[in-house]
């Protein structure tokens, strides 16, 4: 039987979807609900049935298609309109008929909102709450009441805010959720108010914190410390304006810092996967620096950190990344020391042994290259090739004799260069030595790098048939010395994929095509190494 003493309540599909830039299809919502269930939350607020056809359709399909193992689906909506019976309000009917066994009702608890936004009396607002909660309870639904603007309302008119809490509970609400709707509170405010409301009413309380002061997670934890037993959060903190309390940070803190068993066994380790998968579905780049779940959350750059981590990772980590499905990474850059290089080599499956001179030489080489514009922290494949070279196992599948590229532009008569109608074509020729033979290949492309990539592949494919499975998936140019105008030094990062793994290499130089070649040559070399071709 489910432990009902503490609720992890997720509102990604309702409040999270109120974030600017998020627009979910019904199938997206179903997929996110499944992920949240994998993570073990107790309640998933699916949206507002009746407010738009999409949310109504979501609840219809969810009742047929979603087989949730841990969570209960919750429908969100407002209390009835002023002056009508809950039984006659079509919006309340949509909640009642949604198929959800739990309903979250938003209710006004700030008297100024009652009088100015709802334009009704304080008594009628209480009647709207009592009537709507009782009506849904009579129809067998469990009800939570979200007291909108509770903290602002409590500051302005505490007795009225308390009467809203009491009315909701007396009508049958299981939990009364205190909402910091404008997100303006600080943790000390939350601690004081939650404590006072709990002592004054004895009602089971929840917390819903918007993040407008950057304190939503801290405010949620402060409420829990003050006695709240229901936390409303969203995946990755998505939500109206700047967002909500981040589900993963709140759960991470409660589970790992407070030792509370708030998720079913085995679910905590799903955290990173679920966070990333939800980011992909909502079509926002995963935040690499998000606590617990970001790829940088346990990435160590400073040499001093690495030297202590070599002794014991706990010395520079607040928790074990594997507990939340993440992993520790070493970054090697001009801030690295010998320990960083040794640990990174180990991560890449290479053994530098106890050779301090060797790791010292690598550090010096990296620092020198970074001074000239290289950056290795995002280019693990280049770093691995460099480490192998220093270990004496140079990886070479071909030798470049020379290459050249021509780009020809043919303006269409009378067209403006801005119109983009003119044809431009590049042609590259590469001359290589492959397995003792001289190979010359020429190829065309829509730009110089594309032409070079094609010519390089064409000259290698007879010797390395698996090359066709490698694909260039990303190409980034960074101008390093912008002040020099067209003389600037450029850094190129290219990313290749073999359909499964991706790897990135780096090239630097004053000539953008030359720097691209350096990165390209390494990327193809690394790809051949991954395919397991024997080296010369
Ligand atoms: C704090 C939060 O984030 S709560 C979640 C808010 N989410 C959303 O608003 C997203 C979905 N909303 C919608 O699709 C629409 O706003 C709807 C369908 C709910 C309502 O649309 P409309 O009927 O066109 O009304 P509109 O949006 O202009 O105004 C909201 C109405 O609800 C009333 N209302 C607001 N809060 C409550 C409440 N707690 N209880 C009852 N009525 C309420 C307002 O007074 C207003 O009434 P009015 O039409 O008599 O002026
Ligand atoms: C209910 C809600 O989303 C809020 O008060 O912010």
């Amino acid at each position: 039987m489910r432990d009902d003493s503490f609720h992890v309540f997720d509102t990604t599909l309702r409040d999270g979807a109120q974030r600017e830039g998020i627009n979910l299809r019904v199938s997206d919502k179903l997929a996110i609900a499944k992920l949240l269930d994998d993570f073990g939350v107790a309640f998933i607020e699916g949206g507002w049935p009746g407010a738009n056809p999409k949310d109504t359709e979501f609840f219809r399909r969810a009742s047929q298609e979603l087989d949730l193992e841990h969570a209960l689906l919750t429908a969100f909506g407002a209390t009835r309109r002023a002056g009508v019976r809950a039984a006659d309000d079509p919006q309340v009917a949509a909640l009642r008929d949604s198929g959800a066994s739990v309903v979250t009702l938003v209710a006004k608890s700030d008297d100024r909102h009652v009088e100015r936004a709802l334009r009704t009396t304080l008594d009628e607002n209480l009647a709207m709450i009592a009537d709507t909660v009782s009506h849904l309870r009579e129809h067998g639904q469990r009800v939570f009441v979200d007291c909108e603007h509770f903290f602002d309302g409590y500051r302005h008119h505490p007795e009225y805010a308390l009467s809203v809490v009491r009315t909701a509970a007396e009508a049958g609400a299981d939990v009364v959720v205190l909402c910091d709707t404008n997100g303006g509170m600080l943790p000390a405010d939350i601690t004081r108010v939650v404590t006072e409301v709990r002592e004054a009413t004895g009602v089971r309380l929840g917390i819903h914190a918007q993040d407008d002061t950057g304190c939503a997670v801290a405010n949620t934890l402060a409420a829990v410390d003050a006695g709240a037993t229901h936390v409303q959060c969203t995946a990755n903190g998505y939500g109206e304006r700047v967002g909500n309390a981040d589900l993963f940070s709140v759960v991470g803190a409660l589970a790992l810092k407070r030792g509370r068993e708030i998720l079913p066994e085995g679910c905590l380790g799903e955290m990173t996967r679920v966070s990333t998968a939800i980011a992909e579905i909502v079509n926002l780049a995963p935040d690499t620096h998000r606590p617990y779940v970001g790829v940088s959350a346990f990435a160590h750059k400073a040499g001093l950190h690495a030297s202590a981590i070599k002794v014991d990772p706990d010395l520079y980590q607040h928790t074990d990344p594997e507990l939340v499905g993440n992993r520790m990474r070493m970054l090697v850059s001009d801030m690295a020391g010998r320990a960083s290089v040794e640990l990174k080599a180990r991560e890449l499956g290479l053994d530098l042994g106890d050779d301090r001179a060797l790791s010292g030489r690598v550090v010096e080489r990296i620092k020198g290259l970074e001074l000239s514009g290289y950056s290795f922290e995002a280019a693990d494949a280049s770093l691995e090739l460099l480490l192998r070279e220093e270990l004496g196992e140079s990886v070479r599948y071909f030798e470049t004799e020379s290459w050249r590229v021509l780009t020809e532009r043919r303006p269409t008569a009378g067209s403006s260069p801005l119109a983009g109608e003119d044809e431009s074509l590049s042609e590259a020729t590469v001359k290589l030595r492959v397995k003792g033979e001289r190979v010359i290949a020429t190829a065309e492309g829509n730009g110089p790098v594309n032409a070079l990539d094609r010519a390089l592949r064409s000259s290698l494919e007879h010797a390395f048939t698996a090359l066709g499975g490698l694909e260039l998936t990303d190409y980034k140019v960074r101008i390093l010395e912008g002040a020099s105008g067209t003389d600037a030094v450029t850094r190129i990062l290219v990313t290749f994929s073999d359909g499964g793994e991706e790897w990135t290499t780096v090239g630097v130089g004053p000539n953008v095509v030359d720097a691209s070649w350096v990165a390209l040559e390494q990327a193809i070399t690394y790809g051949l190494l991954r395919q397991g071709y024997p080296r010369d």
Side-chain angles (χ1 to χ4, degrees):
M1 172 126 165
R2 148 197 310 277
D3 176 9
D4 198 48
S5 62
F6 192 92
H7 297 164
V8 178
F9 178 108
D10 180 89
T11 175
T12 307
L13 299 178
R14 197 277 297 171
D15 206 327
Q18 289 173 221
R19 173 181 160 131
E20 183 174 15
I22 290 186
N23 186 355
L24 299 174
R25 296 171 303 169
V26 174
S27 55
D28 295 331
K29 290 189 119 185
L30 292 166
I32 291 173
K34 180 74 189 71
L35 287 162
L36 291 166
D37 188 52
D38 291 349
F39 185 51
V41 304
F43 298 93
I44 297 173
E45 189 163 73
W48 187 333
N52 61 69
K54 213 161 42 174
D55 279 8
T56 306
E57 174 67 1
F58 168 76
F59 280 94
R60 191 191 66 72
R61 282 184 59 184
S63 61
Q64 293 167 2
E65 297 173 30
L66 266 187
D67 184 16
L68 300 178
E69 189 184 345
H70 304 293
L72 290 175
L73 198 60
T74 308
F76 177 89
T79 52
R80 69 156 168 82
R81 297 266 169 161
V84 295
R85 293 187 324 138
D88 298 332
D89 187 320
Q91 201 260 129
V92 176
L95 294 171
R96 191 184 59 216
D97 302 336
S98 64
S101 59
V102 187
V103 171
T104 312
L105 284 178
V106 62
K108 300 282 187 204
S109 56
D110 181 332
D111 59 343
R112 294 162 300 185
H113 276 265
V114 176
E115 288 171 347
R116 294 174 59 201
L118 273 185
R119 297 177 304 283
T120 191
T121 63
L122 300 186
D123 285 345
E124 173 61 0
N125 181 51
L126 296 180
M128 288 158 65
I129 296 167
D131 185 19
T132 316
V133 174
S134 326
H135 178 73
L136 296 172
R137 295 288 295 124
E138 278 158 22
H139 284 83
Q141 285 168 304
R142 191 172 176 186
V143 181
F144 302 145
V145 171
D146 276 4
C147 293
E148 218 192 328
H149 296 105
F150 184 84
F151 294 89
D152 300 297
Y154 185 83
R155 185 181 279 163
H156 182 250
H157 191 160
E159 270 318 310
Y160 186 71
L162 287 172
S163 68
V164 169
V165 174
R166 289 194 186 100
T167 301
E170 282 160 15
D174 269 11
V175 181
V176 178
V177 184
L178 310 185
C179 301
D180 181 18
T181 306
N182 291 355
M185 296 295 139
L186 300 179
D189 306 321
I190 302 282
T191 306
R192 181 180 58 78
V193 175
V194 173
T195 306
E196 286 174 11
V197 175
R198 192 172 46 74
E199 288 172 357
T201 64
V203 167
R204 180 171 185 180
L205 298 177
I207 180 76
H208 176 114
Q210 298 292 141
D211 200 29
D212 299 68
T213 56
C215 288
V217 170
N219 285 346
T220 302
L221 299 176
V224 171
D225 283 346
T229 55
H230 166 120
V231 290
Q232 297 197 348
C233 310
T234 60
N236 303 322
Y238 303 143
E240 183 88 28
R241 302 185 303 281
V242 303
N244 285 59
D246 176 11
L247 171 70
F248 305 119
S249 294
V250 168
V251 168
L254 291 173
L256 298 171
K257 311 297 170 183
R258 293 281 192 264
R260 298 187 68 148
E261 290 176 8
I262 54 171
L263 292 184
E265 212 178 319
C267 289
L268 193 63
E270 294 290 307
M271 188 187 279
T272 301
R273 177 183 75 85
V274 168
S275 163
T276 310
I278 291 177
E280 294 299 344
I281 295 171
V282 304
N283 202 21
L284 292 172
D287 179 353
T288 52
H289 292 80
R290 198 100 215 146
Y292 296 99
V293 294
V295 286
S296 301
F298 301 94
H300 303 280
K301 184 159 171 174
L304 289 191
H305 296 206
S307 76
I309 285 171
K310 216 177 110 183
V311 178
D312 178 357
D314 287 351
L315 291 172
Y316 267 98
Q317 287 184 157
H318 70 99
T319 193
D320 177 356
E322 289 184 13
L323 293 174
V324 293
N326 208 336
R327 69 184 181 98
M328 181 176 90
R329 289 163 53 236
M330 280 298 139
L331 303 176
V332 172
S333 72
D334 58 359
M335 289 189 198
R338 284 190 312 270
S340 318
V341 166
E342 283 164 34
L343 289 173
K344 185 72 195 184
R346 214 181 285 165
E347 194 182 303
L348 295 171
L350 302 173
D351 184 9
L352 299 190
D354 288 331
D355 191 342
R356 287 168 69 86
L358 171 62
S359 47
R361 209 165 56 236
V362 173
V363 168
E364 288 315 308
R365 207 172 148 197
I366 286 167
K367 291 191 183 206
L369 285 165
E370 293 232 342
L371 183 65
S372 66
Y374 277 81
S375 173
F376 287 94
E377 69 177 55
D380 270 6
S382 293
L383 182 66
E384 182 172 334
L385 293 176
L386 183 149
L387 285 168
R388 285 183 184 273
E389 201 176 300
E390 289 293 340
L391 279 166
E393 37 169 302
S394 172
V395 184
R396 282 208 175 270
Y397 293 100
F398 55 91
E399 268 176 47
T400 307
E401 188 182 304
S402 68
W403 56 264
R404 68 162 181 262
V405 189
L406 297 170
T407 297
E408 186 183 21
R409 185 178 172 101
R410 294 187 192 141
T412 315
S415 77
S416 152
L418 295 176
E421 290 165 1
D422 298 343
E423 219 178 278
S424 153
L425 195 71
S426 296
E427 183 186 302
T429 300
V430 301
K431 298 180 185 174
L432 310 177
R433 288 203 80 79
V434 187
K435 297 189 174 172
E437 279 182 36
R438 188 163 185 256
V439 184
I440 301 177
T442 298
E444 290 180 332
N446 59 8
V449 180
N450 183 235
L452 273 175
D453 181 28
R454 288 183 173 185
L456 180 56
R457 284 160 186 270
S458 145
S459 61
L460 293 172
E461 63 199 2
H462 72 285
F464 308 105
T465 47
L467 198 63
L470 310 189
E471 197 194 345
L472 192 156
T473 55
D474 199 10
Y475 173 84
K476 289 196 187 100
V477 183
R478 172 100 190 265
I479 307 298
L480 299 176
E481 288 167 27
S484 317
T486 50
D487 281 348
V489 171
T490 48
R491 179 196 297 144
I492 305 295
L493 289 170
V494 302
T495 302
F496 266 67
S497 165
D498 57 10
E501 294 286 312
E502 287 200 328
W503 60 94
T504 300
T505 53
V506 58
V508 169
N511 178 319
V512 65
V513 183
D514 198 19
S516 302
W517 172 266
V518 173
L520 206 55
E521 198 180 21
Q522 293 174 74
I524 296 277
T525 301
Y526 188 81
L528 296 175
L529 179 70
R530 276 185 53 82
Q531 301 287 334
Y533 283 107
R535 286 160 259 158
D536 286 347

